[in-house]
Amino acid sequence: MTDKPDIISMSKSELTAYLTENYGLPRFRADQIFKWLCKGAGFDNMTNLSKELRKKLSEELFCSLPKIEKKLVSKIDGTVKYLFKLYDGNYIESVVMHYSHGNTICISSEVGCNMGCRFCASTIGGMTRKLLPGEMLGQVAVANFDGADISNIVMMGIGEPLDNYDNVIQFLKLVTSDEGLNIGARHISLSTCGLADKILELAKEEFGITLSISLHACDDETRSAIMPINNKWNIGALLSACREYFITTGRRISFEYTLIAGKNDSPLQANKLADLFYKYFSENGRLLPIHVNLIPVNEVAERDFETSSVEAVKKFAEALEKRRINATVRRKLGPDINASCGQLRRSAEKEKSLITNK
């Protein structure tokens, strides 16, 4: 990154102060630039500014707005997968999904990931760097500029959001601001693999976003084998933090559970999972509001995990339902474009490596 501040990571007041103090621009010009940035437009698209001003801004200021490198559209359900190229040549992915209640974008928070979850393509090769607030905001803004009309955000793409805590908090402030994109906190979901200390910090921020927990196992032995973070924050510590998050925010917790054939998908394990929920999320024998999202694992070339059979998924869901636990099987969107995060970026990185090494 350059030594210049990233202007798309600034709030409206911060941007206005910067442009008026450093460039002598009137406030209305700063307002125009802020509105363009929120729309996902780069300097070249700011048509109500003079060519001279646009040229000066593009030469002298840093803007981390990502660029669309590749766009895939599912012929089955219209799901859109973006491969974004960042200012430094790195790649990330975002996916836009269409629902009856509006359009949802799944965004990335880091370039790569340090968490090492063994079923995930995003973590192969580790983490390159954390995304700036503007690079997270930019995924939403650029998708909107491309016609996506986003109303909901899930932070479930490449990276662990709570591992990039300060930048994620700034992104949440920007994206929920009524001066910017003005997407309500209740329309935002953040997924974490289980950084219990950061979950407790997030509860104090009072955003009121939905917390999604990548749980994927009902006991520490199984979870540690597929999710190294469990060696630092075990299931007990994680679920205790989740309970505290609910008590503080009043927001229902969602639990992601990836079903892997022969690893974590038996009815016995479903009942052990139910036991955990009743231990940590019940009061007077009644379960607090939680939801379990069952996800048949996406098979990754570099991993040896196989997706659970349709019958195994059905039996797992039925076992939870018998225990009065709200569970749904996630519908796979964009199957013809491989819409799950990480794999398109991996292909782009491999191509870049081949070109560089020629």
Side-chain angles (χ1 to χ4, degrees), residues 212-259:
S212 294
I213 304 298
S214 295
L215 190 57
H216 311 311
C218 60
D219 61 82
D220 284 325
E221 181 181 1
T222 302
R223 193 167 193 266
S224 294
I226 60 176
M227 301 182 71
I229 190 65
N230 199 69
N231 293 308
K232 182 172 184 179
W233 302 107
N234 65 17
I235 290 176
L238 172 59
L239 295 186
S240 294
C242 290
R243 179 184 174 88
E244 185 64 29
Y245 185 88
F246 171 78
I247 291 171
T248 303
T249 67
R251 298 290 288 153
R252 183 185 73 166
I253 307 277
S254 177
F255 291 93
E256 312 290 332
Y257 194 99
T258 294
L259 291 160

Side-chain angles (χ1 to χ4, degrees), residues 119 258-261 295-299 305-308 332:
F119 52 83
T258 294
L259 291 160
I260 306 168
I295 312 164
V297 71
N298 290 299
E299 295 183 5
F305 291 148
E306 296 181 2
T307 190
S308 300
K332 185 170 184 178

Side-chain angles (χ1 to χ4, degrees), residues 279-291:
K279 178 179 178 181
Y280 288 94
F281 295 97
S282 65
E283 287 185 354
N284 301 319
R286 298 187 64 180
L287 202 62
L288 297 174
I290 63 170
H291 177 259

Side-chain angles (χ1 to χ4, degrees), residues 37-73:
L37 292 172
C38 288
K39 290 178 180 178
F43 293 122
D44 291 342
N45 301 111
M46 298 180 182
T47 51
N48 54 357
L49 306 182
S50 68
K51 288 184 178 180
E52 292 76 15
L53 178 57
R54 281 183 273 165
K55 185 174 185 294
K56 183 180 179 65
L57 292 174
S58 64
E59 289 176 348
E60 298 182 6
L61 296 180
F62 173 62
C63 175
S64 66
L65 205 66
K67 293 180 172 60
I68 299 173
E69 179 78 2
K70 187 178 290 186
K71 176 183 177 182
L72 304 178
V73 182

Side-chain angles (χ1 to χ4, degrees), residues 37-315:
L37 292 172
C38 288
K39 290 178 180 178
F43 293 122
D44 291 342
N45 301 111
M46 298 180 182
T47 51
N48 54 357
L49 306 182
S50 68
K51 288 184 178 180
E52 292 76 15
L53 178 57
R54 281 183 273 165
K55 185 174 185 294
K56 183 180 179 65
L57 292 174
S58 64
E59 289 176 348
E60 298 182 6
L61 296 180
F62 173 62
C63 175
S64 66
L65 205 66
K67 293 180 172 60
I68 299 173
E69 179 78 2
K70 187 178 290 186
K71 176 183 177 182
L72 304 178
V73 182
S74 171
K75 294 179 181 179
I76 297 173
D77 55 30
T79 296
V80 179
K81 186 170 188 177
Y82 291 104
L83 177 69
F84 285 120
K85 189 173 185 178
L86 305 177
Y87 71 90
D88 58 0
N90 280 301
Y91 296 99
I92 54 172
E93 297 174 24
S94 297
V95 178
V96 176
M97 299 156 286
H98 306 290
Y99 299 101
S100 59
H101 59 270
N103 296 333
T104 296
I105 187 169
C106 176
I107 68 167
S108 298
S109 57
E110 296 176 318
V111 181
C113 183
N114 263 339
M115 297 298 105
C117 300
R118 291 195 57 235
F119 52 83
C120 181
S122 300
T123 195
I124 297 171
M127 186 184 70
T128 302
R129 68 172 177 85
K130 303 176 189 300
L131 292 187
L132 298 166
E135 290 174 311
M136 288 178 265
L137 185 72
Q139 293 169 68
V140 186
V142 172
N144 273 339
F145 193 72
D146 192 48
D149 191 22
I150 300 300
S151 55
N152 304 280
I153 299 170
V154 292
M155 303 192 72
M156 203 176 290
I158 297 168
E160 163 55 58
L162 297 186
D163 187 43
N164 189 12
Y165 188 84
D166 291 340
N167 285 343
V168 164
I169 294 302
Q170 177 64 5
F171 159 71
L172 291 173
K173 291 176 180 178
L174 291 171
V175 79
T176 57
S177 169
D178 56 9
E179 296 179 315
L181 294 183
N182 194 26
I183 295 178
R186 290 181 178 271
H187 296 276
I188 300 173
S189 178
L190 182 149
S191 177
T192 175
C193 68
L195 281 67
D197 57 336
K198 297 300 182 182
I199 290 172
L200 295 174
E201 284 188 44
L202 182 64
K204 297 175 184 176
E205 301 284 354
E206 298 183 345
F207 281 114
I209 62 174
T210 298
L211 189 64
S212 294
I213 304 298
S214 295
L215 190 57
H216 311 311
C218 60
D219 61 82
D220 284 325
E221 181 181 1
T222 302
R223 193 167 193 266
S224 294
I226 60 176
M227 301 182 71
I229 190 65
N230 199 69
N231 293 308
K232 182 172 184 179
W233 302 107
N234 65 17
I235 290 176
L238 172 59
L239 295 186
S240 294
C242 290
R243 179 184 174 88
E244 185 64 29
Y245 185 88
F246 171 78
I247 291 171
T248 303
T249 67
R251 298 290 288 153
R252 183 185 73 166
I253 307 277
S254 177
F255 291 93
E256 312 290 332
Y257 194 99
T258 294
L259 291 160
I260 306 168
K263 299 285 186 182
N264 65 353
D265 64 344
S266 72
L268 176 62
Q269 288 165 310
N271 276 293
K272 287 184 177 180
L273 183 63
D275 290 340
L276 279 175
F277 291 142
Y278 276 99
K279 178 179 178 181
Y280 288 94
F281 295 97
S282 65
E283 287 185 354
N284 301 319
R286 298 187 64 180
L287 202 62
L288 297 174
I290 63 170
H291 177 259
V292 181
N293 213 341
L294 299 176
I295 312 164
V297 71
N298 290 299
E299 295 183 5
V300 179
E302 293 89 344
R303 304 300 197 198
D304 59 358
F305 291 148
E306 296 181 2
T307 190
S308 300
S309 68
V310 173
E311 185 64 20
V313 173
K314 180 182 177 182
K315 287 182 177 180

